[in-house]
Amino acid sequence: MIFTREQLEEIEKKSLAPYGARSQDSLGREYPSNEPNSRTIFQRDRDRILHTTAFRRLEYKTQVFINYAGDYFRTRLTHTLEVAQIGRTLAKALGANQDLIETICLAHDLGHSPFGHSGEVALNRLMKDHNGFEHNKQSHRIVTKLEKRYPDFPGLNLSWEVREGIVKHETEYDSTDASKYNPELRGQLEAQLANVADELAYTTSDLDDGLRSGMINTGMLKGFELWEEIKEKVGWKDQTLTDLDRHQLIRKLVGMMVSDSVQSISKRLEDAKVQSSLDIQKLDHNVFGFSESMKKSHRELKDFLYNNLYRHHRVIRMQTKAENILEDMFNAYIKEPRMLPGHYKNLIDDRGLERTICDYLAGMTDRYAIEEHKKLFNPETLP
């Protein structure tokens, strides 16, 4: 049996909650396109993102630990996949569109620079007189302009809903500029669920990686309400932390936070009496997030990670090196643009010198940036 796009859209219509985004109601693409017979518009968008150069590069971009720090630590790609998995779980439980939220999640970090947030800070500082740098905006530029995969239009020509979800992605570390996407409206439910999936994923995975690395230990976590609760539920008694123990504890933490967010969001949706996706966007508050008690516990965990992992001297040293690497290269290319690769030199008239250099640096993986820096500044490395 073959399911046509129309049948898939009908399945959506019957299976989603009233406020879930329907593919058949999409506002469509900027450049008109005939949709395939066997995929919805959001499924097609997801597939387009998966095949981009920017998505593949995420494998070699930093989450917290630089790519070559170890094979077991998260990269920007594995983080993205975890966000997508959690996003689909939330969508399934709440009757939202799983394909749309997965697509937004897969695209949310496409614009991240090498070396994680330290790379973003460095590029934003270097571009302060040229409209700055922010990875949400860069993700949008990638899918609307920078990826060159089709002869008839720039970018990926994604649906309005996916593009809106990208620009309205917001967490504590992400800002938004939705001036061209109904800024008076909040993100649709799927975009909001992507936000909580992102926060949930990076908090739990950073704790996991921090424990694995030895930069933090279980003694440092003693007394934290959330940590004590998952210890009790797992039955772990402060003995030696084995890999299996750590897996159980982190898995329990993820499960608790997912369940809490589902219950909390469901309650907010019920209280708001929403009947459509637009109803959610017109609310004066976001519906995504945790209960008050989980929000407090999550805040404590985030503060702990900031003070003990993100500000650990080994992480700070690498962040400082990363910022120096990007700053050195940016200034070198400003001084002598002819050192840029040929296809980037050809973009200067259209984008401007500074933005062209920024796009080049932002697209680099960690290891490529390190190698390029050596070629520019180490006399013993061949250019």
Side-chain angles (χ1 to χ4, degrees):
M1 181 176 182
I2 298 175
F3 285 85
T4 65
R5 185 182 74 253
E6 288 78 10
Q7 287 173 307
L8 294 174
E9 291 172 347
E10 188 62 25
I11 291 172
E12 276 188 356
K13 186 177 179 180
K14 293 178 179 179
S15 63
L16 297 182
Y19 46 73
R22 272 108 171 122
S23 302
Q24 63 184 18
D25 297 332
S26 172
L27 296 179
R29 307 184 187 279
E30 183 176 0
Y31 303 93
S33 174
N34 293 324
E35 297 301 324
N37 293 326
S38 58
R39 287 179 294 171
T40 67
I41 190 170
F42 300 145
Q43 290 172 340
R44 191 184 193 189
D45 285 351
R46 176 199 59 205
D47 298 344
R48 286 184 170 186
I49 288 166
L50 285 172
H51 288 282
T52 61
T53 301
F55 186 80
R56 290 195 297 273
R57 285 174 176 166
L58 295 177
E59 181 177 3
Y60 299 105
K61 290 191 176 187
T62 295
Q63 178 63 16
V64 172
F65 297 92
I66 195 168
N67 176 260
Y68 59 70
D71 294 338
Y72 298 105
F73 299 123
R74 268 77 171 185
T75 65
R76 189 63 58 178
L77 176 60
T78 57
H79 163 72
T80 294
L81 296 176
E82 290 179 2
V83 174
Q85 178 267 313
I86 292 172
R88 287 189 70 93
T89 298
L90 295 172
K92 183 72 171 178
L94 292 163
N97 192 305
Q98 295 180 63
D99 294 324
L100 176 55
I101 188 174
E102 181 180 29
T103 305
I104 295 170
C105 290
L106 291 174
H108 86 281
D109 269 354
L110 288 178
H112 244 298
S113 60
F115 310 121
H117 285 287
S118 59
E120 182 171 12
V121 168
L123 289 180
N124 188 45
R125 182 176 65 248
L126 292 164
M127 293 292 291
K128 62 180 173 55
D129 296 327
H130 305 279
N131 296 319
F133 175 83
E134 200 277 321
H135 81 267
N136 269 7
K137 294 180 182 178
Q138 191 71 1
S139 295
H140 183 261
R141 290 186 74 235
I142 285 171
V143 301
T144 58
K145 182 177 181 179
L146 301 187
E147 283 279 342
K148 304 292 186 182
R149 310 191 76 82
Y150 303 93
D152 300 327
F153 50 79
L156 305 180
N157 195 26
L158 302 179
S159 65
W160 166 277
E161 291 74 18
V162 171
R163 286 181 281 128
E164 183 190 36
I166 292 171
V167 299
K168 290 183 178 178
H169 179 66
E170 53 181 307
T171 67
E172 182 176 341
Y173 301 103
D174 300 314
S175 58
T176 61
D177 177 13
S179 56
K180 297 180 180 179
Y181 291 87
N182 295 332
E184 74 282 2
L185 297 178
R186 297 184 178 276
Q188 58 208 312
L189 178 61
E190 288 78 6
Q192 293 191 36
L193 293 180
N195 296 336
V196 73
D198 187 18
E199 288 223 29
L200 199 160
Y202 75 67
T203 301
T204 55
S205 63
D206 290 354
L207 176 62
D208 189 19
D209 284 349
L211 288 168
R212 180 190 287 274
S213 71
M215 291 187 189
I216 58 179
N217 59 63
T218 57
M220 299 164 67
L221 288 160
K222 191 171 295 187
F224 281 92
E225 184 176 343
L226 199 53
W227 178 251
E228 297 299 333
E229 186 174 354
I230 61 172
K231 279 169 49 181
E232 182 178 352
K233 288 181 179 296
V234 170
W236 189 73
K237 303 294 185 182
D238 288 312
Q239 62 265 36
T240 300
L241 184 72
T242 66
D243 285 344
L244 183 58
D245 292 332
R246 194 184 71 255
H247 295 324
Q248 288 182 291
L249 290 162
I250 297 300
R251 185 166 61 249
K252 179 60 66 175
L253 177 60
V254 172
M256 286 173 54
M257 294 176 74
V258 167
S259 295
D260 181 273
S261 62
V262 166
Q263 294 296 325
S264 300
I265 295 169
S266 177
K267 180 68 164 57
R268 294 187 188 107
L269 291 170
E270 183 180 342
D271 291 344
K273 297 181 171 58
V274 296
Q275 290 301 313
S276 69
S277 180
L278 185 59
D279 286 347
I280 293 175
Q281 293 187 278
K282 287 181 175 179
L283 292 175
D284 62 1
H285 60 280
N286 288 322
V287 298
F288 78 91
F290 303 108
S291 65
E292 288 303 315
S293 60
M294 180 61 78
K295 188 186 300 182
K296 176 177 177 292
S297 297
H298 187 227
R299 178 74 266 170
E300 291 177 345
L301 179 56
K302 290 172 71 171
D303 289 344
F304 170 84
L305 290 171
Y306 178 83
N307 292 319
N308 295 280
L309 180 61
Y310 309 144
R311 309 309 295 170
H312 191 282
H313 71 273
R314 284 167 53 190
V315 175
I316 292 294
R317 285 176 182 175
M318 191 60 241
Q319 289 174 346
T320 301
K321 291 178 185 178
E323 292 184 28
N324 289 338
I325 287 171
L326 293 177
E327 184 170 352
D328 286 347
M329 289 195 292
F330 185 91
N331 291 330
Y333 291 130
I334 288 289
K335 184 177 180 180
E336 182 45 86
R338 288 177 296 180
M339 291 194 296
L340 285 166
H343 60 289
Y344 276 95
K345 289 200 289 280
N346 297 334
L347 298 172
I348 293 175
D349 288 343
D350 177 47
R351 302 183 191 176
L353 177 59
E354 290 80 8
R355 185 57 62 183
T356 299
I357 295 170
C358 183
D359 285 342
Y360 180 43
L361 296 179
M364 291 181 176
T365 62
D366 296 356
R367 63 183 183 180
Y368 184 81
I370 292 169
E371 289 302 315
E372 285 300 292
H373 188 268
K374 289 179 181 178
K375 291 177 182 178
L376 289 174
F377 296 100
N378 187 340
E380 296 180 356
T381 302
L382 293 176

